[in-house]
Amino acid sequence: MILVLNGPNLNLLGTREPEVYGTFTLEDLENQVEAWAAELGTAVTLRQSNYEGQLIEWIQQAAAEGFGGIVLNPAALTHYSYALFDAVQAQPLPVVEVHISNIHAREEFRRRSVTAPAAAGVIAGLGALGYKYALSYLVEKIR
Ligand code: DQA
């Protein structure tokens, strides 16, 4: 069982800068991720929050909740949340950080991820497909 977490403003997918993030909504993304998970023979739980503390609590509780890995798109928190870094670092599960857009091809402040050093790896710029590849990695890793 894999936990998929989306951070601040990702509830606005579909209308938020479609030239950067595409026209799919969060619901479209979540349906697609569920379909990919089923293809991979795993189950996913999908959560989104605009609140740093909520994301931290979900990460802290993930292992005890029985998840085997986490796909995390920390959104803008990526670039400044040492609290989120600490939460990922403090827990035992493999975490794959995903970004829909290529954070290295955008504004300077997006090039640095403070959360990435705590992750197993990072996928950026592949759109929604990044979630598929992250799931695929975690399924192999957890098996
Ligand atoms: C994002 C990239 C971040 O820089 C941005 O703040 C987001 C989304 C992405 O998925 O491309 O909200 O994480």
Side-chain angles (χ1 to χ4, degrees):
M1 203 166 51
I2 294 168
L3 178 61
V4 179
L5 296 181
N6 283 301
N9 299 303
L10 290 168
N11 58 313
L12 300 178
L13 284 173
T15 54
R16 175 192 185 201
E17 299 181 83
E19 65 290 352
V20 175
Y21 298 111
T23 53
F24 55 88
T25 64
L26 178 63
E27 196 186 344
D28 295 336
L29 175 68
E30 291 188 337
N31 289 336
Q32 181 66 79
V33 169
E34 272 179 347
W36 284 326
E39 275 173 28
L40 289 163
T42 191
V44 281
T45 294
L46 296 131
R47 297 175 185 162
Q48 186 274 333
S49 181
N50 292 326
Y51 298 94
E52 184 180 27
Q54 175 65 84
L55 293 163
I56 288 168
E57 287 185 358
W58 285 335
I59 291 166
Q60 287 181 359
Q61 292 156 11
E65 279 192 77
F67 293 106
I70 304 173
V71 177
L72 174 65
N73 184 343
L77 294 168
T78 304
H79 313 299
Y80 66 90
S81 177
Y82 298 111
L84 206 54
F85 165 83
D86 280 348
V88 174
Q89 187 83 342
Q91 60 79 53
L93 304 177
V95 174
V96 180
E97 181 172 312
V98 171
H99 300 284
I100 295 166
S101 66
N102 181 354
I103 54 174
H104 302 288
R106 300 181 61 198
E107 299 96 322
E108 183 70 39
F109 77 88
R110 294 189 203 276
R111 291 194 189 153
R112 178 156 183 246
S113 168
V114 303
T115 48
V122 181
I123 299 169
L126 305 185
L129 276 173
Y131 292 79
K132 182 186 189 185
Y133 302 139
L135 281 181
S136 170
Y137 168 81
L138 288 171
V139 166
E140 291 265 343
K141 179 81 182 166
I142 294 162
R143 184 164 52 191

